[in-house]
Amino acid sequence: MAVLRVKFTKGQRDKLAQMLWLLNWVSVMTGIILFSLGLFVKVEFSKKEELMADRDFQPVLNLLIAVGLIACIINLLGGKICYDCVDTNKFLRWKLLILPYIICSFFFTGCMLVGALMCYSMQEELQESLAEGLRDVMRYYKDTDSPGRCFLKHTMDLLQIQFQCCGNRDHRDWFHIQWISNRYLDMSKREVVDRLHSNVEGKYLLDSVPFSCCNTNSPRPCIQYQITNNSAHFNYDYLTEDLNLWKRGCHQALVEYYTKLMHSTGSTGLLIWLFELSILTGVRYLQTAMENVLRQGDPESESDGWLLENSLVETARNNFNILKNLGKINQIDTATNGDPNIDKPSTAIYGNLFNIKATAQKI
């Protein structure tokens, strides 16, 4: 028994073909949108790749880009097929190709769904990657003379200014690392030497932060040194004062930014997937309806269309048997099983039937 059987008249088939032709062109535009969005996200990740630990997010982004590009090609072909389906004679040219086209498109939409869902599953990995990456960048902040690290100070300062954040989790992260290079420490001062010796690891630690942590919206001059020392500043209390530093940590800022970006991309991918699936459903109805017209031999007659010719269980069983017997093609016993092509008129016979019918109508 056919699944979701629908009856179509000649006019309904023509309208369905025309509507699918238009929707395929719209889908070409959605493919361009998905391609552009994937490319934009890829560029955004590349801009901050030095802030991320060794996590490779490129496969997901490359999948989105490839899916968007393939969507354009597939829907251009689908538009041509649907346009030709208005004319029964032109449909004969696509009769053998339309089912493989539907199957390939179905697997393609599956890839689109996978790519969209993966955008939602990256958050935990993204959080770990940014936490490790920011910790390393802050540790090497002072190494402005080291090859391969000299750009990290500029990267971190630019990040804190652009995203209005400070430190990894908050500004206190800077208290636990030496972010000032020994090159700029005056070793002739006893205070500096004592501070270095007071630390087990010989680091010069301060309750201070880089200038890029300063909140530019604060009316008070930035307090970036001796932040916890109340006596060092006039009318100041570290515990109750609303510090003129960015309150949010850079880890939170980046996670929120990239999560929003990936969720927007995933939502767009899901919407496009649903749209592609609806078009594919319409193409399947059009294909089965047109093939039934060919069997009847009358291009003006009504015909049935369906998603599956048999039930889901029977279809799955038949496909399994086909795959099981792929390696036994040369062992088919036509005497026992019969020739599968017997009693099935060829495409050429269908074409002649339509030509005879059309000629009879003209006479």
Side-chain angles (χ1 to χ4, degrees), residues 134 156 159-160 165-168 248-255:
L134 284 169
M156 192 66 194
L159 170 68
Q160 294 186 141
C165 59
C166 183
N168 193 343
R248 186 173 57 165
C250 291
H251 179 267
Q252 178 187 352
L254 286 174
V255 168

Side-chain angles (χ1 to χ4, degrees), residues 24-71:
N24 271 284
W25 276 104
V26 174
S27 192
V28 171
M29 301 304 298
T30 60
I32 294 175
I33 292 173
L34 187 60
F35 171 80
S36 303
L37 191 57
L39 196 60
F40 171 74
V41 176
K42 183 180 177 71
V43 171
E44 288 299 302
F45 269 85
S46 299
K47 288 180 181 179
K48 299 292 186 293
E49 60 182 356
E50 63 270 10
L51 298 173
M52 301 178 185
D54 295 333
R55 302 287 200 284
D56 192 5
F57 301 102
Q58 297 302 319
V60 178
L61 304 177
N62 291 335
L63 177 61
L64 292 174
I65 293 173
V67 163
L69 187 61
I70 295 173

